[in-house]
Amino acid sequence: MGLSFIFKKLALVAVTLTLTATSVAAQTQPGCESSCGNISIPYPFGTGDGCNISSNFFITCNTTFNPPKAFLTTSYIEILDISLDGYLRISESIGYDCYDKVGRTSYFDLWLMLSKFPISHTRNKFTAIGCDTYAHVEDYLGDTYSTGCLTFCDNITNVVKGSCSGIGCCQTAIPKGVRSYHVTFNSSNNHSNVLSFNPCSYGFVVEDGAYNFSISDLYDENFSDKEFPMILDWTVGNQTCAEAKMDQENYACKENSDCIDPENGPGYLCKCLDGFQGNPYLSQGCQDINECDTLKPCNGPCNNAPGSYNCSCPDGFEGDGLRNGTGCSPKVVMPHHQSFSVAVVALGIGVGVLFSLLCLSWVYMGLRQRKLTAEKSENRQQNGGMLMREQLPKRAEMLTT
Ligand SMILES: *[C@@H]1O[C@H](CO)[C@@H](O)[C@H](O)[C@H]1NC(C)=O
Ligand SMILES: *[C@@H]1O[C@H](CO)[C@@H](O)[C@H](O)[C@H]1NC(C)=O
Ligand SMILES: *[C@@H]1O[C@H](CO)[C@@H](O)[C@H](O)[C@H]1NC(C)=O
Ligand SMILES: *[C@@H]1O[C@H](CO)[C@@H](O)[C@H](O)[C@H]1NC(C)=O
Ligand SMILES: *[C@@H]1O[C@H](CO)[C@@H](O)[C@H](O)[C@H]1NC(C)=O
Ligand SMILES: *[C@@H]1O[C@H](CO)[C@@H](O)[C@H](O)[C@H]1NC(C)=O
Ligand SMILES: *[C@@H]1O[C@H](CO)[C@@H](O)[C@H](O)[C@H]1NC(C)=O
Ligand SMILES: *[C@@H]1O[C@H](CO)[C@@H](O)[C@H](O)[C@H]1NC(C)=O
Ligand SMILES: *[C@@H]1O[C@H](CO)[C@@H](O)[C@H](O)[C@H]1NC(C)=O
Ligand SMILES: *[C@@H]1O[C@H](CO)[C@@H](O)[C@H](O)[C@H]1NC(C)=O
Ligand SMILES: *[C@@H]1O[C@H](CO)[C@@H](O)[C@H](O)[C@H]1NC(C)=O
């Protein structure tokens, strides 16, 4: 009895072990919340003590909202998505400047200041909407960059449907490496000529592709309540990879990962090596991918190894074993000279067949020739020269084809 109990317990331990081994590797430090509502929060980000790599990566999870909302550090910047590829999707409001017959009715002074993470210059566009609109975007202090676009239309019928092409809607790029913006507006006539279909100018920074212009946005009275996704680039530290590797104690990239110098620095990113997946910022975070299960690359037996795999062929078969490659085919077994190549054998057979064919055609032609001469003399005997002249060329033609 005692023995069977131990056996059961061992079996149980074995089951739990395989279960933990096959489950997805953790994305957080031990004891940390892995999500806020339905937003997952992978390390180096974290919501609690000891869960974030530095104070810039602290996430406030406010559970008074349903579902709970995640905010960057202790700010009001709402996070929609965190990607370990080095970007952060946040939700941003839009700036506006509205008029009626009397003058300005409302104005929202939109600005954003980030302590560490730059606004992605490749994944965002500054977008302005309006028919009497100069929209400017500049850094908060107004001294490192200032850009913007303008859009005019005197009749809504001129606006191109669904296209942000400069009439009713315009877009421009955000400069590289900026961490703040401030949106301001101006107009030629305070929208007085276009009030019937466009009382407001709007300006916002939006993830490229996440906003499609619609003509109704020009007169939608609730457009100013909208929020749009925007992308921030994040990095760890403030050194380059080369500098970070020298400071092993604080180097953020763990086993089986490599360091990447991002375009929008300073700082660096970590990435699992090829053949590994998971969270490169955590110890044991990058786990081997079992290519044999995920890719099913082999025809025959597949051997998984850390970071790679190889295919083999069963005994008596040869080839690279790859479904994409030569696969496995039966070995050609030669009695003595194993090295006697298949090509030589094929060549020998080919020459033999060709020679026999040649002989056969010789024999055939010889027989035909004899039959022809026999017929010729027969014809001469029966019909004289006339028929012979008609028939000869035909026969000759048949023989040569
Ligand atoms: C989170 O939930 C909200 C509403 O319940 C939904 O709109 C959103 O798509 C969800 N996000 C993810 C990443 O699942
Ligand atoms: C995580 O963020 C909090 C809040 O900003 C900060 O007090 C803490 O020091 C950070 N953790 C680390 C390891 O830097
Ligand atoms: C959560 O959000 C509510 C409503 O905006 C606010 O009153 C509260 O202070 C927030 N809680 C935390 C912990 O930030
Ligand atoms: C706009 O254009 C349409 C058709 O071209 C015209 O009928 C209409 O009067 C114009 N509206 C204004 C305000 O000019
Ligand atoms: C706004 O535009 C008006 C007229 O076009 C111009 O006089 C004024 O200086 C502009 N204001 C700003 C702040 O650019
Ligand atoms: C536009 O409105 C502003 C503020 O309401 C006013 O100061 C300015 O004179 C107006 N400009 C025009 C051209 O009506
Ligand atoms: C914008 O339009 C494109 C193409 O029509 C579509 O694929 C995309 O989902 C649209 N985006 C939004 C936010 O509506
Ligand atoms: C704008 O929002 C208000 C309040 O949320 C709503 O009553 C109204 O119907 C909305 N207007 C449009 C055109 O959707
Ligand atoms: C880089 O970060 C370290 C620690 O966070 C800080 O002490 C140092 O001043 C930073 N250096 C620069 C150039 O920002
Ligand atoms: C096979 O080749 C195709 C195209 O060359 C490639 O997309 C696919 O990933 C390959 N499959 C394997 C298992 O290597
Ligand atoms: C293929 O993988 C197995 C197991 O990892 C290893 O023993 C073998 O040497 C590998 N063969 C080749 C040709 O790399």
Side-chain angles (χ1 to χ4, degrees):
M1 245 191 40
L3 202 66
S4 84
F5 172 70
I6 290 172
F7 263 78
K8 265 184 199 158
K9 193 152 188 183
L10 274 180
L12 203 72
V13 168
V15 166
T16 11
L17 275 181
T18 47
L19 272 182
T20 46
T22 50
S23 70
V24 181
Q27 294 287 312
T28 58
Q29 293 285 25
C32 294
E33 293 290 338
S34 64
S35 65
C36 173
N38 59 3
I39 295 151
S40 63
I41 302 181
Y43 189 75
F45 292 87
T47 57
D49 213 14
C51 295
N52 47 312
I53 199 168
S54 74
S55 48
N56 294 310
F57 291 82
F58 186 74
I59 305 287
T60 304
C61 187
N62 192 330
T63 49
T64 55
F65 298 95
N66 186 22
K69 285 185 179 177
F71 296 92
L72 187 58
T73 63
T74 48
S75 70
Y76 291 107
I77 301 169
E78 190 192 342
I79 293 175
L80 301 176
D81 184 29
I82 299 174
S83 165
L84 283 178
D85 292 335
Y87 65 88
L88 205 59
R89 184 173 283 113
I90 64 172
S91 179
E92 265 295 288
S93 5
I94 69 183
Y96 52 87
D97 183 20
C98 295
Y99 294 85
D100 66 7
K101 283 191 208 82
V102 181
R104 179 177 277 158
T105 55
S106 60
Y107 179 82
F108 181 64
D109 193 27
L110 176 70
W111 59 271
L112 177 72
M113 260 175 108
L114 297 147
S115 56
K116 168 107 167 52
F117 304 141
I119 296 159
S120 173
H121 63 292
T122 51
R123 291 166 170 265
N124 296 303
K125 284 274 188 294
F126 174 66
T127 303
I129 303 172
C131 278
D132 181 8
T133 303
Y134 295 92
H136 306 268
V137 58
E138 55 196 20
D139 68 305
Y140 190 67
L141 297 172
D143 53 9
T144 61
Y145 77 93
S146 176
T147 181
C149 66
L150 41 94
T151 149
F152 291 92
C153 25
D154 44 22
N155 192 326
I156 198 161
T157 56
N158 298 338
V159 179
V160 184
K161 210 168 151 186
S163 138
C164 192
S165 56
I167 306 173
C169 176
C170 64
Q171 284 188 324
T172 186
I174 292 281
K176 182 177 168 180
V178 307
R179 289 192 320 222
S180 75
Y181 65 73
H182 182 203
V183 177
T184 55
F185 300 98
N186 201 354
S187 66
S188 306
N189 300 301
N190 287 350
H191 288 253
S192 57
N193 300 335
V194 296
L195 274 177
S196 59
F197 58 90
N198 176 239
C200 298
S201 291
Y202 303 103
F204 48 98
V205 180
V206 60
E207 179 179 1
D208 204 3
Y211 169 68
N212 286 341
F213 173 62
S214 153
I215 291 176
S216 62
D217 293 343
L218 288 171
Y219 49 82
D220 181 354
E221 58 179 291
N222 291 335
F223 191 76
S224 54
D225 299 335
K226 291 204 171 177
E227 297 206 337
F228 289 106
M230 182 181 128
I231 305 290
L232 305 182
D233 289 328
W234 62 265
T235 58
V236 291
N238 53 13
Q239 311 108 307
T240 63
C241 284
E243 289 162 359
K245 279 176 182 165
M246 302 221 280
D247 180 15
Q248 276 295 330
E249 202 182 316
N250 295 313
Y251 183 46
C253 306
K254 304 299 185 201
E255 308 90 346
N256 298 319
S257 74
D258 206 356
C259 185
I260 297 175
D261 283 308
E263 204 194 342
N264 210 358
Y268 60 95
L269 289 169
C270 308
K271 187 178 183 293
C272 288
L273 296 176
D274 285 348
F276 292 87
Q277 64 184 4
N279 188 329
Y281 301 94
L282 287 170
S283 176
Q284 306 296 325
C286 289
Q287 305 252 320
D288 175 47
I289 299 171
N290 189 339
E291 292 89 352
C292 292
D293 285 352
T294 54
L295 296 179
K296 301 213 187 308
C298 306
N299 262 342
C302 181
N303 314 300
N304 184 48
S308 67
Y309 67 93
N310 67 37
C311 300
S312 50
C313 288
D315 280 349
F317 288 79
E318 62 187 354
D320 60 12
L322 285 168
R323 274 202 294 169
N324 258 2
T326 59
C328 292
S329 48
K331 270 185 187 152
V332 181
V333 183
M334 298 297 293
H336 292 297
H337 295 281
Q338 281 271 321
S339 60
F340 207 68
S341 97
V342 178
V344 173
V345 175
L347 199 74
I349 294 174
V351 168
V353 168
L354 216 71
F355 188 74
S356 334
L357 274 176
L358 216 68
C359 288
L360 273 175
S361 57
W362 265 95
V363 171
Y364 177 75
M365 272 165 80
L367 282 176
R368 274 304 216 195
Q369 198 63 43
R370 269 170 70 175
K371 203 175 164 197
L372 199 66
T373 26
E375 269 179 347
K376 252 193 249 169
S377 47
E378 223 177 89
N379 279 337
R380 198 172 316 173
Q381 279 165 14
Q382 282 177 6
N383 307 314
M386 283 290 278
L387 190 67
M388 194 191 84
R389 243 181 283 138
E390 264 181 55
Q391 254 176 352
L392 248 187
K394 275 189 199 160
R395 295 240 178 224
E397 206 176 297
M398 279 169 74
L399 267 176
T400 52
T401 52

